[in-house]
Amino acid sequence: MQRPPVGDDLPVARHFVVEPEARAAQLADARTDLEAVVEMRGQPVTHVRFEHERLEAPFPERGVAAGELLEVGDARDLEPDQVVRVVRDALGVRLGESDANVRAEAEAAHQGHSTAVNELSTLLRERQPCVVLTGAGISTESGIPDFRSPTGIWAQYDPMEYATIDAFRRDPVKVWEFYGLRLDTLAKAEPNAGHLALAELERRGLVSAVVTQNIDGLHQRAGSREVIEVHGSIRTARCLACGEQTPLDRAMPRCPRCGEIMKPGVVMFGELLPAEAMERATELAREAGLLLVVGSALEVYPVAGLPEETMSAGGAVAIVNRGPTGYDGRADLKVDAGAGETLSTLLRV
C-alpha cells in the first residue's frame, strides 16, 4: 500500500494507522478511534498490540486516514492479554466488527506453547545427555537471512553461480563479491536469546554439545564451549593451492604462502563435509539421550540424518522449528515456535 499525497495544511497523526486501498477509500460510516486494526493477510492473525492516534482533520466522509500498514508476522509471538481488536477486512473498517474468537484463539495458542515447553523440559532432564543440532532458523532471529525460504538467499542468488566449488574455481572474485555482502551482515549480527539460552543450558550441565549447520560463529560468541561446525566457518579462509588456512578478517584474502586467492572456510556445494567434524557429530548423535533440533527443517544431508542415528540407538528426538520438518511424525516432541522464545522460556521452567 502506498502513502497518498497529503496536503501540508492537514494535520496528520505521527503514529501508524491502517490505510485502505484506493478503490475503497469512501467508507460511509468508518470512524477513527484509539483501538487497533489489523488486516487478515492470508493466514489467521489471532492477536495484536498496535496503536494509532485520532486524526482531527476533515477527511472526506470521515474516511480512515492514510498511513502505513503494520502487520503481525506471527500471532504466537504475543501474549493473550495483548489482544485489543482484530477485523478480517481492512476495507470495511467499522471498528466494531472484531473477531469474537480472537482472545480464545490467543489463549489456546499460548497454553499450547507452555505445555510443549514443559514437555521439553521433562525430556531435557530425563533423557541425558542432550546434544543440540541447530540450523538457520536460530540465526534468522539475529537478522541473518536463511537460504531456502521464499525470501532467503537462494531466492536472490543462484547457488550454482555463487556457492559451488566449481564456481569458485571458475571465478573466485565473483564468489567473494557474494561473500563480502554476507560478511557485512555477519559482522553486525549478535547472538540472540536462543544462542544465549543454549550457552546457559550448557553451563547448567543440561546440554553437552552443539552441532551446528551455521557458519556464523554466534554460538561461540554466546558462550557455548563445545560447538561442532559441520558446514565450516566464515571466520576462516583456506588456500586450495597449498592448503594454508588463516583467520578471515577481510573479503578475498590472498594466501600468505603462495599468493593465490583463498577460499572462504565454509563448505560449498560439491565439497565434502569436514570429516572430523562429521564423525564427531555422528558420534554425539548416537550417544545422545536426547537430540534437540533447533531451527532446522532437516533437509540437507548428511546432517539431516543425525536424528536417525539418535533414534536407532534408542534416544529421543525433540524439534523446535517454525514449519514442518522431515521428522515431525517420528519425533518425541515437536514445538512449532521460534528458538528464542522457546529456549529462553525453557530456562525458567
Side-chain angles (χ1 to χ4, degrees), residues 67-278:
E68 297 182 20
L69 179 65
L70 298 179
E71 298 178 38
V72 176
D74 193 311
R76 293 165 298 184
D77 291 338
L78 304 179
E79 300 293 334
D81 60 5
Q82 294 173 326
V83 174
V84 179
R85 176 163 293 178
V86 174
V87 296
R88 293 188 178 277
D89 185 3
L91 304 182
V93 187
R94 295 182 178 90
L95 296 183
E97 296 179 358
S98 59
D99 187 335
N101 296 320
V102 167
R103 189 174 297 276
E105 292 173 2
E107 290 174 350
H110 181 67
Q111 181 60 42
H113 183 256
S114 298
T115 300
V117 173
N118 286 333
E119 293 177 11
L120 180 56
S121 177
T122 300
L123 281 173
L124 183 63
R125 285 163 172 77
E126 293 182 353
R127 305 298 294 268
Q128 284 289 319
C130 172
V131 175
V132 180
L133 169 61
T134 65
I138 192 171
S139 290
T140 54
E141 297 181 25
S142 291
I144 298 175
D146 65 0
F147 287 89
R148 292 170 178 79
S149 73
T151 58
I153 292 174
W154 299 148
Q156 304 175 55
Y157 297 92
D158 183 352
M160 300 306 294
E161 293 187 29
Y162 295 95
T164 69
I165 187 61
D166 289 339
F168 180 81
R169 294 182 185 279
R170 184 171 58 249
D171 192 345
V173 175
K174 179 179 180 179
V175 171
W176 267 113
E177 288 174 351
F178 164 73
Y179 275 97
L181 297 174
R182 297 204 65 205
L183 287 172
D184 289 340
T185 299
L186 294 173
K188 298 173 184 176
E190 295 292 336
N192 60 57
H195 297 107
L196 296 172
L198 290 178
E200 177 60 26
L201 289 171
E202 183 184 33
R203 283 191 288 272
R204 296 182 186 183
L206 294 172
V207 165
S208 60
V210 174
V211 177
T212 186
Q213 297 171 280
N214 299 329
I215 62 170
D216 48 48
L218 291 180
H219 285 298
Q220 293 92 327
R221 288 174 57 191
S224 291
R225 295 183 295 272
E226 184 70 18
V227 181
I228 295 88
E229 296 173 309
V230 291
H231 286 174
S233 172
I234 197 65
R235 296 171 299 164
T236 62
R238 181 171 63 89
C239 180
L240 297 181
C242 69
E244 181 76 7
Q245 183 166 307
T246 65
L248 178 60
D249 55 5
R250 60 188 175 87
M252 205 174 76
R254 288 193 174 272
C255 178
R257 179 186 297 176
C258 68
E260 291 291 324
I261 296 176
M262 303 184 79
K263 172 189 166 294
V266 303
V267 177
M268 294 182 170
F269 293 115
E271 288 190 294
L272 296 175
L273 297 186
E276 184 177 348
M278 198 61 213

Side-chain angles (χ1 to χ4, degrees), residues 274-291:
E276 184 177 348
M278 198 61 213
E279 288 172 5
R280 178 60 176 154
T282 302
E283 178 185 20
L284 286 168
R286 288 173 181 164
E287 295 174 350
L290 172 66
L291 181 68

